[in-house]
Each structure stands twice: as structure tokens, then as C-alpha cells.
Amino acid sequence: MRKLICLLLFAPSFALAHPDAAYQPLAFLADHCWTGAFPGGRTDEHCFTWIYDGKFLRDRHTVRAEGKPDALGESIYFWDSAAKQLEYLYIESDGGFSRGPVTIGNEALIFPDTSLVENGKTIVYRSRWQRSGATAYDVVTEFKSKDGWAPGFKIHMEQSGAAKASGDAR
């Protein structure tokens, strides 16, 4: 019994996350998985969990297509106290990465234009995540071309279950 009490008192992984108020615009995503479908049958699943006792929000996502290996990605959302804004760092299994701010407008998460760098190439994109009721949101992503902004994809994401803590950095 004494060992159990010591474990509960001193193990930081048992502490519940208490995120900073700056994360309020992202809070609805936390501790849930969200799934949507691309046209053509691919699916996209995002699972959000607090890490480091609520100091960061992690989004692990998987794009699945029949007969192909899963494409994996992970975003870490963080509060940049010097810039006084929410930001993210995104990395993917193909080696690509991007980073940028997250702003709020008309009750939507707005990801202003940023660059995805992968295999020596750069793609400029922007995205908007608009809430659609209590258990869904809509994603609209556009890509920049030499002629301006072009439609990329639209996905309706629905809450699909509870996100599982990864066991690390809780």
C-alpha cells in the first residue's frame, strides 16, 4: 500500500493536464479523435491529446488509403509567449514539415499561408477549420499556384472517439 501511495504522489504522469487559457480555441479538439473522408476514398484521422501537463497540444494524424501504406503526421500546438500567439509545428512521415501561427476568426481556426517543405520542394498552402456543431468541424485547404489560390480539398471531420494518451509526456 505504501508503494502505491508513493507512486501516486510522485509520478507526474498521473497528474491531469490543466492547459493554459491561451489554448481555449483548440480545447474542443483535445482528448478526442476526429475522422473525415477525402473524395476518392482516403480517410483522415486526427487524435488530439494534451502533453507536458497541458503546456502543449499534440495532434497525431493518419491518412489511410486502401492498398497503400498509411501516411502519418504530427502537429504540436504551442503558445509562443514572445509573439503572444498560438503556433504549430507539423512534421510528416514523408519528411515534410511546416510551421506557422493559428489565428481565430468568426469562430474558426485559421492557418494563414505557410510553406510545406519536403524533398527539396516547397508548397504554399492555407487552411481554415470551422466548427460544425459540438462534434464536428469542416476543413478547407487551398494551395498557392503562380496564378493565385486554388482549391485543395474539403473534409468534414466528425468526432470518432476518445484519444488515447500515448503514455509519454502526459
Side-chain angles (χ1 to χ4, degrees), residues 22-26 29 48 50 55-59 74-90 98-104 109-112 114 125 129:
Y23 289 97
Q24 185 57 39
L26 302 171
L29 298 164
F48 294 83
W50 294 112
K55 292 178 182 69
F56 302 92
L57 183 65
R58 173 185 279 159
D59 167 15
E74 183 168 327
S75 296
I76 302 295
Y77 294 89
F78 59 94
W79 176 251
D80 181 332
S81 59
K84 296 188 181 343
Q85 67 182 8
L86 282 170
E87 294 189 19
Y88 69 93
L89 170 64
Y90 171 71
S98 62
R99 178 182 175 168
V102 181
T103 61
I104 312 309
L109 299 174
I110 300 169
F111 300 82
T114 191
Y125 70 98
W129 296 8

Coordinates of all heavy atoms in Angstrom, one line a residue, residues 22-26 29 48 50 55-59 74-90 98-104 109-112 114 125 129:
A22 N -4.7 30.3 -23.0 CA -4.4 30.6 -24.4 C -4.8 29.6 -25.4 O -5.0 29.8 -26.6 CB -2.9 30.9 -24.6
Y23 N -5.0 28.3 -24.9 CA -5.4 27.2 -25.7 C -6.9 27.0 -25.9 O -7.3 26.1 -26.6 CB -4.8 25.9 -25.2 CG -3.3 25.8 -25.3 CD1 -2.5 26.1 -24.3 CD2 -2.7 25.3 -26.5 CE1 -1.1 26.0 -24.4 CE2 -1.4 25.2 -26.6 CZ -0.5 25.6 -25.6 OH 0.8 25.5 -25.7
Q24 N -7.7 27.9 -25.3 CA -9.1 27.8 -25.4 C -9.7 27.6 -26.8 O -10.5 26.7 -27.0 CB -9.8 29.0 -24.7 CG -11.3 28.9 -24.6 CD -11.7 27.7 -23.9 OE1 -11.2 27.3 -22.9 NE2 -12.8 27.1 -24.4
P25 N -9.2 28.2 -27.8 CA -9.7 28.0 -29.2 C -9.5 26.6 -29.7 O -10.2 26.1 -30.5 CB -8.9 29.0 -30.1 CG -8.5 30.0 -29.1 CD -8.2 29.3 -27.8
L26 N -8.5 25.9 -29.1 CA -8.2 24.5 -29.5 C -8.8 23.4 -28.6 O -8.8 22.2 -28.9 CB -6.7 24.2 -29.6 CG -5.9 25.1 -30.5 CD1 -4.4 24.9 -30.2 CD2 -6.2 24.9 -31.9
L29 N -10.9 20.3 -29.4 CA -10.3 19.2 -30.1 C -9.7 18.1 -29.1 O -9.6 17.0 -29.5 CB -9.2 19.7 -31.0 CG -9.6 20.6 -32.1 CD1 -8.4 21.4 -32.7 CD2 -10.4 19.9 -33.2
F48 N -6.1 14.2 -30.8 CA -5.5 15.3 -30.0 C -5.4 14.9 -28.5 O -6.4 14.5 -27.9 CB -6.4 16.6 -30.1 CG -6.5 17.1 -31.5 CD1 -7.4 16.6 -32.4 CD2 -5.7 18.2 -31.9 CE1 -7.5 17.2 -33.7 CE2 -5.8 18.7 -33.2 CZ -6.7 18.2 -34.1
W50 N -3.4 16.4 -24.7 CA -2.5 17.3 -24.0 C -1.2 16.6 -23.7 O -1.3 15.4 -23.3 CB -3.2 17.8 -22.8 CG -4.4 18.6 -23.0 CD1 -5.7 18.3 -22.7 CD2 -4.5 19.9 -23.6 NE1 -6.5 19.3 -23.1 CE2 -5.8 20.3 -23.6 CE3 -3.5 20.8 -24.1 CZ2 -6.2 21.5 -24.2 CZ3 -3.9 22.0 -24.7 CH2 -5.3 22.4 -24.7
K55 N 0.8 21.9 -21.3 CA 1.6 23.0 -21.9 C 1.6 23.0 -23.4 O 1.9 24.0 -24.0 CB 3.0 23.0 -21.3 CG 3.1 23.3 -19.9 CD 4.5 23.2 -19.3 CE 4.6 23.5 -17.9 NZ 4.0 22.4 -17.0
F56 N 1.3 21.8 -24.0 CA 1.2 21.7 -25.5 C 0.1 20.8 -25.8 O -0.4 20.0 -25.0 CB 2.5 21.0 -26.0 CG 3.8 21.8 -25.6 CD1 4.5 21.5 -24.5 CD2 4.2 22.8 -26.5 CE1 5.6 22.2 -24.2 CE2 5.4 23.5 -26.1 CZ 6.1 23.2 -25.0
L57 N -0.4 20.9 -27.0 CA -1.5 20.0 -27.6 C -0.9 19.3 -28.7 O -0.3 19.9 -29.7 CB -2.7 20.8 -28.0 CG -3.9 20.0 -28.5 CD1 -4.5 19.1 -27.4 CD2 -5.0 20.9 -29.1
R58 N -1.0 18.0 -28.7 CA -0.4 17.1 -29.7 C -1.6 16.6 -30.6 O -2.6 16.2 -30.1 CB 0.3 15.9 -29.1 CG 0.7 14.9 -30.2 CD 1.3 13.6 -29.5 NE 2.7 13.9 -29.2 CZ 3.4 13.3 -28.3 NH1 2.8 12.3 -27.6 NH2 4.6 13.6 -28.0
D59 N -1.3 16.6 -31.9 CA -2.3 16.1 -32.9 C -1.5 15.1 -33.7 O -0.7 15.4 -34.5 CB -2.8 17.2 -33.8 CG -3.5 16.7 -35.0 OD1 -3.9 15.6 -35.1 OD2 -3.7 17.6 -36.0
E74 N 2.2 14.6 -37.5 CA 2.1 15.1 -36.1 C 2.2 16.6 -36.0 O 3.2 17.1 -36.6 CB 3.1 14.3 -35.2 CG 2.9 14.7 -33.7 CD 3.7 13.8 -32.8 OE1 3.9 12.6 -33.1 OE2 4.1 14.3 -31.8
S75 N 1.3 17.2 -35.3 CA 1.5 18.6 -35.0 C 1.6 18.8 -33.5 O 0.9 18.1 -32.8 CB 0.2 19.4 -35.6 OG 0.1 19.3 -36.9
I76 N 2.4 19.8 -33.2 CA 2.4 20.2 -31.8 C 2.0 21.7 -31.8 O 2.6 22.5 -32.5 CB 3.9 20.1 -31.2 CG1 4.4 18.6 -31.3 CG2 3.9 20.6 -29.8 CD1 3.6 17.6 -30.4
Y77 N 1.0 22.0 -31.0 CA 0.5 23.3 -30.9 C 1.1 23.9 -29.6 O 1.1 23.2 -28.6 CB -1.1 23.3 -30.8 CG -1.7 22.9 -32.1 CD1 -2.0 21.6 -32.3 CD2 -2.0 23.8 -33.1 CE1 -2.6 21.2 -33.5 CE2 -2.6 23.4 -34.3 CZ -2.9 22.1 -34.5 OH -3.4 21.7 -35.6
F78 N 1.5 25.1 -29.7 CA 2.2 25.7 -28.5 C 1.9 27.2 -28.5 O 1.6 27.9 -29.5 CB 3.7 25.5 -28.6 CG 4.4 26.0 -29.8 CD1 5.0 27.3 -29.8 CD2 4.5 25.3 -30.9 CE1 5.6 27.8 -30.9 CE2 5.1 25.7 -32.1 CZ 5.7 27.0 -32.0
W79 N 2.0 27.8 -27.3 CA 1.8 29.2 -27.1 C 3.2 29.9 -27.2 O 4.1 29.5 -26.4 CB 1.2 29.5 -25.7 CG 1.0 30.9 -25.4 CD1 1.7 31.7 -24.5 CD2 0.2 31.9 -26.1 NE1 1.4 33.0 -24.5 CE2 0.4 33.1 -25.5 CE3 -0.8 31.8 -27.1 CZ2 -0.3 34.3 -25.9 CZ3 -1.5 32.9 -27.5 CH2 -1.2 34.2 -26.9
D80 N 3.4 30.7 -28.1 CA 4.6 31.5 -28.2 C 4.5 32.8 -27.4 O 3.8 33.7 -27.8 CB 4.9 31.9 -29.7 CG 6.2 32.6 -29.9 OD1 6.6 33.3 -29.0 OD2 6.7 32.5 -31.0
S81 N 5.0 32.7 -26.2 CA 4.8 33.8 -25.3 C 5.5 35.1 -25.7 O 5.0 36.2 -25.4 CB 5.3 33.5 -23.9 OG 6.7 33.1 -23.9
A82 N 6.6 35.1 -26.5 CA 7.2 36.3 -27.0 C 6.3 37.0 -28.1 O 6.1 38.2 -28.1 CB 8.6 36.0 -27.6
A83 N 5.7 36.1 -29.0 CA 4.9 36.7 -30.0 C 3.4 36.8 -29.6 O 2.6 37.4 -30.3 CB 4.9 35.8 -31.3
K84 N 3.1 36.2 -28.4 CA 1.8 36.2 -27.9 C 0.7 35.7 -28.8 O -0.3 36.3 -29.1 CB 1.4 37.6 -27.4 CG 2.2 38.1 -26.2 CD 1.7 39.4 -25.6 CE 2.5 39.9 -24.5 NZ 3.5 39.2 -23.8
Q85 N 1.0 34.4 -29.4 CA 0.1 33.8 -30.3 C 0.3 32.3 -30.3 O 1.4 31.8 -29.9 CB 0.3 34.3 -31.7 CG 1.6 33.9 -32.3 CD 1.8 34.5 -33.7 OE1 1.0 35.3 -34.2 NE2 2.8 34.1 -34.4
L86 N -0.8 31.6 -30.7 CA -0.7 30.2 -30.8 C 0.1 29.9 -32.1 O -0.1 30.6 -33.1 CB -2.1 29.6 -30.9 CG -2.9 29.4 -29.7 CD1 -4.4 29.0 -30.0 CD2 -2.3 28.3 -28.8
E87 N 0.9 28.8 -32.1 CA 1.6 28.4 -33.2 C 1.6 26.9 -33.3 O 1.2 26.2 -32.3 CB 3.0 28.9 -33.2 CG 3.1 30.4 -33.3 CD 4.6 30.9 -33.5 OE1 5.4 30.1 -33.9 OE2 4.8 32.1 -33.3
Y88 N 2.0 26.3 -34.4 CA 2.1 24.9 -34.6 C 3.4 24.5 -35.3 O 3.9 25.3 -36.1 CB 0.9 24.3 -35.3 CG 0.9 24.7 -36.8 CD1 1.5 23.9 -37.7 CD2 0.3 25.9 -37.2 CE1 1.5 24.3 -39.1 CE2 0.3 26.3 -38.5 CZ 0.9 25.5 -39.4 OH 0.9 25.9 -40.7
L89 N 3.9 23.3 -35.1 CA 5.0 22.7 -35.8 C 4.4 21.4 -36.3 O 3.9 20.6 -35.5 CB 6.2 22.5 -34.9 CG 7.3 21.6 -35.6 CD1 7.9 22.3 -36.8 CD2 8.4 21.3 -34.6
Y90 N 4.4 21.2 -37.6 CA 3.9 20.0 -38.3 C 5.0 19.2 -38.9 O 5.9 19.8 -39.6 CB 2.9 20.3 -39.3 CG 2.4 19.2 -40.2 CD1 1.6 18.2 -39.6 CD2 2.8 19.0 -41.5 CE1 1.2 17.1 -40.4 CE2 2.4 18.0 -42.3 CZ 1.6 17.0 -41.7 OH 1.2 15.9 -42.4
S98 N 6.2 21.9 -41.7 CA 5.7 23.3 -41.8 C 5.5 23.8 -40.4 O 5.4 23.1 -39.4 CB 4.5 23.4 -42.6 OG 3.4 22.7 -42.0
R99 N 5.5 25.1 -40.3 CA 5.3 25.8 -39.0 C 4.6 27.1 -39.3 O 4.8 27.8 -40.4 CB 6.6 26.1 -38.4 CG 6.5 26.8 -37.1 CD 7.9 27.2 -36.5 NE 7.7 28.0 -35.3 CZ 8.6 28.2 -34.5 NH1 9.8 27.8 -34.6 NH2 8.3 29.0 -33.4
G100 N 3.7 27.5 -38.4 CA 3.0 28.8 -38.6 C 2.1 29.1 -37.4 O 2.0 28.3 -36.5
P101 N 1.5 30.3 -37.5 CA 0.6 30.7 -36.4 C -0.8 30.1 -36.7 O -1.2 29.6 -37.8 CB 0.5 32.2 -36.6 CG 0.8 32.4 -38.1 CD 1.7 31.3 -38.5
V102 N -1.6 30.1 -35.6 CA -3.0 29.7 -35.7 C -3.8 31.0 -35.1 O -3.5 31.4 -34.0 CB -3.4 28.5 -34.8 CG1 -4.8 28.2 -34.9 CG2 -2.5 27.3 -35.1
T103 N -4.7 31.5 -36.0 CA -5.4 32.7 -35.5 C -6.9 32.2 -35.4 O -7.3 31.2 -35.9 CB -5.3 33.9 -36.5 OG1 -5.7 33.5 -37.8 CG2 -3.8 34.3 -36.5
I104 N -7.7 33.1 -34.9 CA -9.1 32.8 -34.7 C -9.9 33.9 -35.4 O -9.6 35.1 -35.3 CB -9.5 32.9 -33.2 CG1 -8.5 32.1 -32.3 CG2 -11.0 32.4 -33.0 CD1 -8.3 30.7 -32.8
L109 N -10.7 28.2 -36.7 CA -9.2 28.2 -36.6 C -8.7 28.5 -38.0 O -9.0 27.8 -38.9 CB -8.7 26.8 -36.1 CG -9.2 26.4 -34.7 CD1 -8.8 25.0 -34.4 CD2 -8.7 27.3 -33.6
I110 N -7.9 29.5 -38.1 CA -7.3 29.9 -39.3 C -5.8 29.7 -39.3 O -5.1 30.1 -38.4 CB -7.6 31.4 -39.6 CG1 -9.1 31.6 -39.6 CG2 -7.0 31.9 -40.9 CD1 -9.6 33.1 -39.6
F111 N -5.4 28.9 -40.3 CA -4.0 28.6 -40.5 C -3.5 29.5 -41.8 O -3.7 29.0 -42.9 CB -3.7 27.1 -40.8 CG -4.2 26.3 -39.6 CD1 -5.5 25.9 -39.5 CD2 -3.3 25.8 -38.7 CE1 -6.0 25.2 -38.4 CE2 -3.7 25.0 -37.6 CZ -5.1 24.7 -37.5
P112 N -2.9 30.7 -41.5 CA -2.6 31.5 -42.7 C -1.5 30.8 -43.6 O -0.9 29.8 -43.2 CB -1.9 32.7 -42.0 CG -2.4 32.7 -40.6 CD -2.6 31.3 -40.2
T114 N 1.4 29.3 -45.4 CA 2.7 28.8 -44.9 C 3.3 27.9 -45.9 O 2.6 27.5 -46.8 CB 2.6 28.2 -43.5 OG1 3.9 28.0 -42.9 CG2 1.8 26.8 -43.5
Y125 N 0.5 26.7 -48.7 CA -0.9 26.4 -48.5 C -1.5 27.2 -47.4 O -0.8 27.8 -46.6 CB -1.1 24.9 -48.2 CG -0.6 24.4 -46.9 CD1 -1.4 24.3 -45.8 CD2 0.8 24.2 -46.7 CE1 -0.9 23.9 -44.6 CE2 1.3 23.8 -45.5 CZ 0.4 23.7 -44.4 OH 0.9 23.3 -43.2
W129 N -10.4 25.8 -40.3 CA -11.2 24.7 -39.6 C -12.3 25.4 -39.0 O -12.2 26.1 -38.0 CB -10.3 24.0 -38.6 CG -9.2 23.2 -39.1 CD1 -8.7 23.2 -40.4 CD2 -8.3 22.4 -38.3 NE1 -7.6 22.4 -40.4 CE2 -7.4 21.9 -39.2 CE3 -8.3 22.0 -37.0 CZ2 -6.4 21.0 -38.7 CZ3 -7.4 21.1 -36.6 CH2 -6.4 20.6 -37.4

